[in-house]
Amino acid sequence: MANKLATVRTVADLRRAIATWREEGLSVGLVPTMGALHDGHFSLVEKSTATTDRTITTLFVNPKQFGPTEDLDVYPRNEDADAAALAERGVDLLFAPALDEMYPEGSVTAVAVPGIGDVLEGAHRPGFFTGVATVVTKLLIQSLPDKAFFGEKDFQQLAVIKRMVLDLDIPVEIIGCPIVRESDGLAMSSRNAYLNAEERASATGLHAALADIAAQIIEGGPVTDAIRAAKNQLLNRGFTKVDYLAVCDPESLEALNSVSGGARILGAAWLGKTRLIDNLAVEK
Ligand code: PAF
């Protein structure tokens, strides 16, 4: 059985632990999470443990990235199970700060990433990327890792973080890791736990819709027609609302009306009270 994972809750303790590794000349990888860990998170951990000497996972459910009507209060939390799973996978340290450690009394500073952070998710979840950028900036400055690992499942989040790190000269390499999917294609997400059996059966439709858009683009069909058909397909398969389906430039995330070369297809849609996002690369 793996040992209990060393856990620190203050920035001072985190920095003390990292300082001892740095004195030994060791490299450090950071895997930021909000907990409720699944194989998607574990793939980031695996990449970090394979490419750096020490891996830190952070666990902090960041209230600044939840809107007033979103699921902050019910977001799944199970630190003990997460810590045990991380220990088994060779993580060296868990940083699990309390709210007032991360945002001390009077804290007002925020990091905004306009443009790339205003479209798609940003348009439907106002304030979301400012919340993400603020907490990720803090985590990176608190730990100053060599590499930090994020999933492509949150493709726009990854693009926003890359932009932010470049703009703020934060000395870290941001590594994007491929989406991990269930056997039927559903992208792994902590929020999949909200789905009832009927919704779970329909949920794979989002990936299927993105794959259909990709197939039509490759065949040379118009992007707008492909998107319209995929939206109808989602609504016919039990999705209750489609926030967006878009074909975008993979770096700027600007919407494309035609594709020549690489593009990313991104989508967000609701099954009852659960909002799912997914994305797919397409190459023409
Ligand atoms: O992707 C997530 O789990 C979160 O947005 C992150 C990057 C840990 C910031 O809270």
Side-chain angles (χ1 to χ4, degrees):
M1 211 178 108
N3 290 332
K4 197 169 175 343
L5 181 59
T7 301
V8 290
R9 302 197 184 272
T10 66
V11 176
D13 285 345
L14 173 70
R15 288 190 169 144
R16 241 188 307 277
I18 295 169
T20 62
W21 297 337
R22 292 303 195 187
E23 274 162 27
E24 294 167 44
L26 301 175
S27 62
V28 175
L30 189 78
V31 181
T33 82
M34 298 205 300
L37 303 179
H38 50 69
D39 284 351
H41 297 110
F42 299 142
S43 74
L44 310 181
V45 164
E46 205 172 292
K47 188 89 184 176
S48 179
T49 55
T51 58
T52 64
D53 298 315
R54 294 287 181 269
T55 292
I56 303 166
T57 297
T58 71
L59 194 174
F60 179 66
V61 182
N62 174 32
K64 289 194 190 288
Q65 67 188 77
F66 288 79
T69 59
E70 292 185 356
D71 54 343
L72 175 62
D73 292 343
V74 294
Y75 196 82
R77 291 165 171 87
N78 193 342
E79 183 181 316
D80 289 348
D82 288 343
L86 292 170
E88 264 177 37
R89 288 164 176 84
V91 166
D92 299 283
L93 188 68
L94 178 66
F95 176 47
L99 184 61
D100 59 356
E101 178 68 10
M102 193 54 98
Y103 298 117
E105 177 78 34
S107 157
V108 289
T109 304
V111 179
V113 188
I116 197 166
D118 290 334
V119 296
L120 304 170
E121 286 300 284
H124 288 270
R125 302 182 66 191
F128 169 67
F129 282 123
T130 299
V132 169
T134 302
V135 81
V136 172
T137 299
K138 286 175 69 78
L139 291 168
L140 293 175
I141 293 174
Q142 288 162 353
S143 55
L144 292 174
D146 298 282
K147 299 180 184 186
F149 299 82
F150 298 88
E152 288 184 348
K153 154 86 182 354
D154 296 291
F155 192 78
Q156 188 179 6
Q157 168 174 283
L158 177 61
V160 165
I161 290 168
K162 282 183 177 164
R163 180 75 256 169
M164 174 193 90
V165 160
L166 198 64
D167 290 351
L168 298 181
D169 302 312
I170 304 178
V172 61
E173 190 184 345
I174 300 297
I175 313 278
C177 302
I179 299 175
V180 179
R181 297 184 181 280
E182 304 284 357
S183 54
D184 65 359
L186 176 65
M188 290 200 182
S189 163
S190 306
R191 288 187 167 104
N192 292 351
Y194 299 153
L195 298 168
N196 64 31
E198 197 184 332
E199 291 165 344
R200 175 63 189 83
S202 301
T204 185
L206 182 54
H207 178 238
L210 301 184
D212 282 355
I213 296 175
Q216 289 197 42
I217 288 173
I218 288 164
E219 277 171 23
V223 167
T224 45
D225 290 0
I227 289 177
R228 196 177 312 114
K231 185 174 174 185
N232 289 335
Q233 183 185 318
L234 283 174
L235 296 172
N236 290 335
R237 285 185 71 154
F239 280 80
T240 42
K241 189 173 156 212
V242 178
D243 276 354
Y244 61 83
L245 287 171
V247 178
C248 298
D249 177 274
E251 266 148 47
S252 69
L253 294 188
E254 273 168 34
L256 300 174
N257 286 325
S258 62
V259 177
S260 56
R264 201 87 187 183
I265 307 166
L266 298 100
W270 292 82
L271 274 167
K273 291 186 174 151
T274 305
R275 185 172 184 276
L276 301 179
I277 63 170
D278 199 351
N279 66 86
L280 200 65
V282 60
E283 190 75 40
K284 200 170 163 208

